[in-house]
Amino acid sequence: MKAPLLLIMTVWLNTQYGGSFVSSSCSHPPSQWCSSLDTAIQCGVLKHCLESNFTRSHQTADPIQVGLYYESLCPGCRIFLTEMLFPTWVLLHDIMTVTLVPYGNAVEKPDGQKYVFDCQHGEQECLGNMIETCLLNMTSIAFPVIFCMESSSDVIKSAKSCLELYNPGLSWDKIMGCVKGDLGNQLMHLNAMKTKALNPPHNYVPWVTINGEHTDDLQDKAMASLFTLVCNMYKGTKPAACGGGQRHFKSYCHNE
Ligand SMILES: *[C@@H]1O[C@H](CO)[C@@H](O)[C@H](O)[C@H]1NC(C)=O
Ligand SMILES: *[C@@H]1O[C@H](CO)[C@@H](O)[C@H](O)[C@H]1NC(C)=O
């Protein structure tokens, strides 16, 4: 289980920080690495893609639905999202889904036909929440962009370059059109309603739901190791990443 985790995180971290692990012939965004054998080879991730394709085609039970209610500048949210949720999703996306709801402890007030929002960490946080909300609406591969933003030293300033790196097909202007326009306002109101509908109501963030449910026990387990929780809860055939015993690391080169 350790080996693929290290490999994949090395790939992600190296692309993140401009490293050279990914071969220079890899000019595709991560979302397309497994789209063909050629790109998988060019990007040095063939083994991972083959395993992930195999697991997907053999998925035998409903995926575990992980929901995260959070706000873009809350330090604990950033740590959970970047160090727990995202790495778990990279390894287990065949058996889990992730729903992100950026809003958290914000408050909304109606203002004519629109809403105005007041965020716990100020206006910059409202902007971060809005950018992430628009990303989630406008692309099916928003999560790597959001991971990139949340792991940067400046969540807001990094947004444009994170989008260019992970989703070069989507223009920043389109995202900003949503952020400043009616669409963003409507989508943020939906986030407010989803957050208010939580049962039990949230009293902190990051607030985790598993298959739509929140309990202290599930929250504690998710915080301790979401990876273990998802592997344990998944009812179908466990993927290799969960450590199903398909791998044999015990292999020695003996001396004379
Ligand atoms: C993974 O599956 C997709 C869709 O079935 C296929 O097009 C692609 O070539 C596969 N990738 C690899 C590396 O086998
Ligand atoms: C984006 O938002 C619009 C307007 O609320 C909605 O109709 C559409 O289904 C959303 N798309 C996604 C992928 O969430």
Side-chain angles (χ1 to χ4, degrees):
M1 195 202 88
K2 279 226 167 79
L5 176 67
L6 284 177
L7 167 69
I8 293 160
M9 287 321 290
T10 311
V11 171
W12 279 102
L13 291 173
N14 274 320
T15 42
Q16 177 87 358
Y17 298 111
S20 56
F21 182 91
V22 176
S23 128
S24 54
S25 59
C26 175
S27 54
H28 307 270
S31 58
Q32 286 168 22
W33 285 353
C34 292
S35 63
S36 77
L37 281 173
D38 283 351
T39 52
I41 292 165
Q42 278 165 21
C43 300
V45 291
L46 180 61
K47 186 161 178 279
H48 165 72
C49 294
L50 291 174
E51 283 172 3
S52 127
N53 266 7
F54 178 83
T55 325
R56 190 171 303 134
S57 61
H58 287 72
Q59 192 171 301
T60 47
D62 291 338
I64 305 298
Q65 297 164 23
V66 179
L68 178 66
Y69 294 77
Y70 73 107
E71 43 197 42
S72 62
L73 299 188
C74 142
C77 299
R78 295 179 61 185
I79 292 172
F80 180 74
L81 190 149
T82 58
E83 293 179 17
M84 186 74 87
L85 183 59
F86 186 77
T88 300
W89 176 77
V90 167
L91 286 169
L92 300 182
H93 59 90
D94 296 323
I95 62 163
M96 72 187 277
T97 64
V98 172
T99 304
L100 298 174
V101 184
Y103 186 76
N105 299 324
V107 179
E108 70 170 3
K109 274 191 292 222
D111 178 22
Q113 301 286 64
K114 300 183 90 182
Y115 291 87
V116 288
F117 303 96
D118 196 4
C119 298
Q120 186 168 27
H121 302 90
E123 295 214 347
Q124 286 295 96
E125 178 163 84
C126 282
L127 178 57
N129 290 350
M130 190 66 97
I131 293 170
E132 294 179 5
T133 297
C134 287
L135 283 166
L136 288 163
N137 182 261
M138 299 176 91
T139 165
S140 57
I141 45 169
F143 198 12
V145 185
I146 293 174
F147 163 75
C148 173
M149 289 170 62
E150 293 292 342
S151 57
S152 304
S153 56
D154 190 319
V155 174
I156 312 295
K157 278 196 191 136
S158 65
K160 186 165 183 274
S161 41
C162 287
L163 181 69
E164 283 161 4
L165 182 62
Y166 288 105
N167 206 333
L170 180 58
S171 88
W172 177 247
D173 289 348
K174 264 183 103 175
I175 295 292
M176 287 319 277
C178 165
V179 165
K180 298 200 172 111
D182 291 343
L183 176 60
N185 202 267
Q186 271 174 32
L187 293 170
M188 192 55 71
H189 174 57
L190 287 177
N191 286 353
M193 295 205 297
K194 285 181 200 161
T195 306
K196 282 179 206 157
L198 282 168
N199 182 19
H202 81 285
N203 40 29
Y204 53 80
V205 285
W207 186 262
V208 176
T209 61
I210 304 288
N211 295 333
E213 190 190 5
H214 175 96
T215 64
D216 288 347
D217 184 51
L218 286 171
Q219 175 83 23
D220 289 348
K221 286 181 173 149
M223 288 288 137
S225 174
L226 182 68
F227 183 90
T228 307
L229 180 65
V230 172
C231 280
N232 286 346
M233 285 187 73
Y234 183 65
K235 295 205 172 69
T237 312
K238 314 270 187 209
C242 286
Q246 296 97 321
R247 283 149 188 271
H248 301 284
F249 291 110
K250 196 176 168 195
S251 164
Y252 302 116
C253 297
H254 289 279
N255 56 13
E256 305 287 289

